Amino acid sequence: MPMTIAASRATSGKSSHAPFSTQHQRGVSLLELMVGVAIGLLVVAVAMGALMVSRGISGTVSDASGIQQQAAYAMRVIGLQLRQAGSLYLNPNPNNAPAIEALTAPVAFEARAEPPPGSNSTFDFNPTTNTLSGTANPVTLIVGYRRYKEAVYTSTAEQTLSRNCLGGPSDDTAPRMDDQRVESTFQFNAANNALICGGNSAVAQAIVRNVADFQVRYLLQNNSNPADTRIQYLDASAVGSSDWGRVQAVEVCLVLYGDEPIDMPAGSTYTGCGNDATPANNLVDMTTLTGARARRMHIAYRNVFQLRSQGLVGTVL
């Protein structure tokens, strides 16, 4: 009997203190739910803003890097050809001395060169007329130098290692194999906003895209007053037909633009390739540009390349 009473008390005690009673459960109020949603939306908005800013900065940096890479490539190709302009062939055995006496035979520079008899090639080399030339409208730069063949370790036949801006001319295809001149013609194609290059009768191809401007000036030494020698910066129209051989160097200016549209404040400018004596007159307002150049980053690049001839061609050659 006493055990039954104790058991009933224990049972009744458990039932009166149930831990999962419905009296202790509560939900989220509408106010709390709205506050939580508002905080979540605020966090998402801040994260999206940071993402858009990061993407904009990344796109601008990537755009600038792409422009610099294209400019470096263009200047490298143009510079490679200009640094060879005026170079001649040094014939180590002009008198065809026997091999046993080759080290004591005189050497000579070969200035002019004609294609072999019977060849269909029209590319001879005359340092006076084929080294450098150009036009002002459209802006064109034409560079030429002597092409010659020499022994190459990997070939039994002599080959030429000199190439123009398109990697030609060919060593084994007539008539290009008989060309005596390596020629590169650079020109600005305004219709396609590209810098194109051709040479040795090859079809011109675009080598740089997104080109806004291409200008060339020639540094001509003026010796009219020996006591006051000066360098004149002239465009192609101001260089006389007999003065190309006296050009000391060539200044090349390129303006390239990017692919990424950017928001720019009114009055955003860059210094173009203009040659006005007043620097302010060379500024270009990017906010007024239209078409493919609208709202694009623009960067101008200038480089001066000295020629090997250094004014000797046309005077002593």
Side-chain angles (χ1 to χ4, degrees):
M1 188 66 180
M3 295 180 61
T4 304
I5 294 175
S8 64
R9 289 177 177 176
T11 305
S12 62
K14 290 181 180 179
S15 61
S16 62
H17 296 86
F20 300 103
S21 175
T22 57
Q23 296 178 0
H24 299 283
Q25 295 180 2
R26 292 186 57 191
V28 179
S29 67
L30 179 60
L31 179 60
E32 293 173 335
L33 179 62
M34 294 180 63
V35 171
V37 171
I39 293 175
L41 292 176
L42 180 61
V43 171
V44 172
V46 171
M48 289 298 295
L51 179 62
M52 294 301 294
V53 171
S54 175
R55 184 185 179 280
I57 295 175
S58 176
T60 302
V61 172
S62 177
D63 212 24
S65 177
I67 294 174
Q68 291 176 357
Q69 289 179 4
Q70 283 214 96
Y73 172 75
M75 291 300 183
R76 183 166 63 250
V77 173
I78 297 174
L80 178 63
Q81 301 303 318
L82 282 173
R83 291 189 180 99
Q84 293 293 328
S87 60
L88 308 173
Y89 173 50
L90 178 61
N91 189 342
N93 189 10
N95 297 324
N96 297 321
I100 193 174
E101 299 177 1
L103 296 179
T104 60
V107 297
F109 280 104
E110 294 184 0
R112 301 194 60 168
E114 299 287 342
S119 171
N120 292 327
S121 172
T122 58
F123 282 82
D124 61 337
F125 179 69
N126 183 342
T128 304
T129 57
N130 301 136
T131 295
L132 186 69
S133 60
T135 60
N137 189 20
V139 177
T140 304
L141 172 64
I142 305 175
V143 184
Y145 51 93
R146 174 67 189 276
R147 178 175 184 254
Y148 57 89
K149 297 182 178 181
E150 57 188 353
V152 179
Y153 174 72
T154 58
S155 175
T156 57
E158 291 187 340
Q159 296 184 0
T160 178
L161 301 179
S162 300
R163 295 289 184 267
N164 60 22
C165 57
L166 298 181
S170 172
D171 282 329
D172 53 9
T173 303
R176 300 284 73 83
M177 60 186 299
D178 296 324
D179 289 355
Q180 300 299 306
R181 178 171 84 247
V182 178
E183 182 183 84
S184 296
T185 302
F186 300 94
Q187 186 174 341
F188 176 43
N189 187 336
N192 298 324
N193 293 335
L195 179 65
I196 62 175
C197 186
N200 293 88
S201 297
V203 177
Q205 300 180 24
I207 60 173
V208 180
R209 65 183 183 89
N210 288 9
V211 179
D213 195 9
F214 173 63
Q215 297 293 331
V216 180
R217 290 197 300 172
Y218 304 91
L219 280 66
L220 183 65
Q221 183 170 329
N222 185 352
N223 296 326
S224 57
N225 183 1
D228 187 19
T229 302
R230 298 182 179 183
I231 295 293
Q232 296 176 300
Y233 283 77
L234 307 174
D235 64 11
S237 62
V239 180
S241 58
S242 61
D243 292 332
W244 287 105
R246 296 193 297 112
V247 173
Q248 306 285 323
V250 177
E251 181 192 69
V252 177
C253 181
L254 272 172
V255 176
L256 305 182
Y257 62 91
D259 296 314
E260 189 80 13
I262 59 177
D263 293 328
M264 54 184 66
S268 298
T269 62
Y270 71 91
T271 302
C273 291
N275 299 316
D276 196 291
T278 303
N281 295 337
N282 299 323
L283 295 179
V284 180
D285 189 345
M286 290 183 286
T287 61
T288 62
L289 301 176
T290 59
R293 297 173 55 189
R295 297 174 56 207
R296 299 301 195 274
M297 178 190 304
H298 286 65
I299 305 178
Y301 298 88
R302 290 178 184 268
N303 210 339
V304 177
F305 302 96
Q306 187 174 5
L307 303 184
R308 287 190 177 189
S309 61
Q310 296 185 352
L312 296 179
V313 173
T315 56
V316 301
L317 296 178

